[in-house]
Amino acid sequence: MVTARVDAGSLDLARRILGARLRSAGEPGEDGRVEVTVAYDRVAAVRQLLQFSDHIEVVAPREARELVRRLAAGIARTHSG
């Protein structure tokens, strides 16, 4: 399971893309983000969340958050020049 925070305006899109993987979604917080739980059978599947760009933040587990950070850094390097 992965916990993430998604912009409230992107929640409908997340529901369509993630389907049954989206196990729970809370109410928007003061920052306009909703905490969601996404079911993946392996941490590497968190790559699917990259399509949400900066509209999502992976919170836990630490391994999933670190993978997203490494992938985003690689994307930034690829597009830096």
Side-chain angles (χ1 to χ4, degrees), residues 1-78:
M1 294 291 222
V2 170
T3 302
R5 298 176 65 244
V6 64
D7 292 348
S10 299
L11 188 56
D12 284 339
L13 179 62
R15 285 187 173 116
R16 288 193 304 270
I17 290 172
L18 299 172
R21 286 188 185 95
L22 183 63
R23 296 294 170 89
S24 68
E27 294 296 319
E30 290 181 18
D31 63 354
R33 289 198 159 186
V34 175
E35 186 170 292
V36 298
T37 303
V38 185
Y40 290 121
D41 58 352
R42 55 193 176 92
V43 171
V46 78
R47 293 170 182 266
Q48 180 185 33
L49 300 179
L50 291 174
Q51 64 189 303
F52 293 98
S53 179
D54 61 341
H55 298 280
I56 197 166
E57 175 189 5
V58 173
V59 177
R62 183 184 53 76
E63 295 85 0
R65 185 174 171 88
E66 177 61 20
L67 176 57
V68 169
R69 188 200 64 74
R70 285 194 325 264
L71 293 169
I75 290 168
R77 279 192 306 275
T78 298

